[in-house]
Amino acid sequence: MIYIAAFALIGGAGLLIYMLKEAFADRIIYKELSFSEFPESFGEVKLFFISDIHRRLISDKIIAEIKGKEPDLVIIGGDLMEKGVPFEKVKKNVLLLMEVAPVYFVWGNNDYEVDFHQLDALLLECGVKILDNTALSFESQKGDRFVLIGTDDLSKDRERLDLALEDAGTGGFRVLVSHDPRIAKQIKKEHNIHLVLSGHTHGGQIHILGYSPYEKGRIKKLPETTILISNGYGTTGVPLRLGAKAETHFITLKNS
């Protein structure tokens, strides 16, 4: 019995170490996505997407690697922080990302646990563009448009996809950023949203015997659009992961 207890203790400690490693992994997933609708005049557009940072400090390793890849845009997919995270730490993360490329942000549910007016002011001070039911358009030399659309948090009933689409105007290749992937239920084919970037679910964070309330993060092709759901970079609750390793994303968009 003593040996069984010892093996169980060692096994439990090993699992805990493994779950900590999964939670604090510095992983960048590289993906090329080709669309027939993507304007050839842009060549390619490179995006670095990071969601659900929560309590983590972004590692120098990730910053150095993505700097070398020269992305066009950095996108924070919500839950930049949560209650109890010092604003100084948040500012450090934001400034690290600003070293890489212009930064764009959408609100997540945990961002509203704090003084969100203070967070809003911090982001504006750092030069971050907040997409809260708004859109930005980038134009190529040939007049083609790349449109970045962002909605406010769905779980707080603050999202207004209709306003964001109105701000986007007509036409263009469209990427929608929404913290909560359930925004996909509101998307119609005629919205011409080609890609959705989201997080929120943490990929389930901890899968017991392969089961969790949420599926692991992945890219899914839907009838109305394509959606990337990220496992996210940080954790909520306990700083542990199992079966849903921490991740960030480097996405290259091009014509097929």
Side-chain angles (χ1 to χ4, degrees):
M1 292 294 292
I2 293 175
Y3 291 115
I4 294 173
F7 278 121
L9 185 62
I10 293 169
L15 178 61
L16 182 63
I17 292 169
Y18 178 79
M19 293 173 75
L20 282 167
K21 286 184 177 179
E22 290 255 298
F24 289 94
D26 288 314
R27 185 166 63 135
I28 305 171
I29 296 177
Y30 291 88
K31 188 71 177 179
E32 282 192 358
L33 297 177
S34 300
F35 298 86
S36 59
E37 304 92 340
F38 187 84
E40 291 186 25
S41 60
F42 278 103
E44 58 185 29
V45 172
K46 296 181 288 186
L47 312 174
F48 178 68
F49 179 63
I50 183 168
S51 184
D52 301 278
I53 298 171
H54 289 281
R55 294 181 173 271
R56 288 193 69 177
L57 184 64
I58 301 170
S59 75
D60 292 334
K61 175 186 173 183
I62 280 188
I63 297 298
E65 185 171 339
I66 59 173
K67 262 187 182 180
K69 303 296 182 180
E70 298 182 342
D72 299 295
L73 309 173
V74 170
I75 300 170
I76 303 172
D79 283 4
L80 172 59
M81 67 181 304
E82 63 180 41
K83 186 177 180 181
V85 177
F87 278 92
E88 294 81 6
K89 188 174 188 178
V90 176
K91 186 173 184 178
K92 185 171 183 180
N93 276 333
V94 170
L95 292 177
L96 283 170
L97 293 172
M98 290 291 294
E99 292 177 13
V100 176
V103 177
Y104 301 83
F105 168 84
V106 297
W107 295 93
N109 55 301
N110 290 111
D111 296 313
Y112 286 107
E113 292 180 356
V114 302
D115 183 346
F116 60 90
H117 296 296
Q118 186 176 349
L119 177 57
D120 185 81
L122 184 153
L123 293 170
L124 292 174
E125 176 192 338
C126 292
V128 175
K129 175 63 180 177
I130 301 170
L131 297 170
D132 47 357
N133 303 318
T134 54
L136 280 175
S137 180
F138 304 88
E139 193 169 303
S140 72
Q141 289 185 344
K142 290 189 176 180
D144 295 317
R145 295 171 67 235
F146 175 86
V147 186
L148 186 64
I149 305 168
T151 56
D152 208 331
D153 185 58
L154 185 151
S155 66
K156 298 293 184 183
D157 295 322
R158 299 178 69 100
E159 93 292 349
R160 288 290 305 272
L161 181 58
D162 58 329
L163 294 180
L165 289 171
E166 183 179 337
D167 199 36
T170 58
F173 184 88
R174 300 178 171 208
V175 175
L176 170 65
V177 188
S178 171
H179 178 65
D180 195 318
R182 290 178 298 169
I183 196 71
K185 296 178 181 178
Q186 299 183 24
I187 296 174
K188 300 176 182 178
K189 195 71 175 177
E190 57 264 32
H191 292 156
N192 291 319
I193 295 172
H194 303 93
L195 177 65
V196 179
L197 304 177
S198 65
H200 182 57
T201 66
H202 294 207
Q205 190 164 314
I206 297 176
H207 293 251
I208 305 298
L209 299 176
Y211 174 79
S212 174
Y214 298 105
E215 64 182 351
K216 296 178 185 178
R218 62 191 179 106
I219 295 175
K220 295 195 292 186
K221 180 69 177 176
L222 304 177
E224 301 79 15
T225 191
T226 297
I227 185 168
L228 182 154
I229 305 173
S230 176
N231 286 346
Y233 187 64
T235 56
T236 189
V238 293
L240 300 170
R241 285 180 177 269
L242 184 63
K245 193 173 182 178
E247 62 187 22
T248 64
H249 306 266
F250 195 99
I251 304 156
T252 302
L253 301 173
K254 57 197 299 187
N255 183 268
S256 57

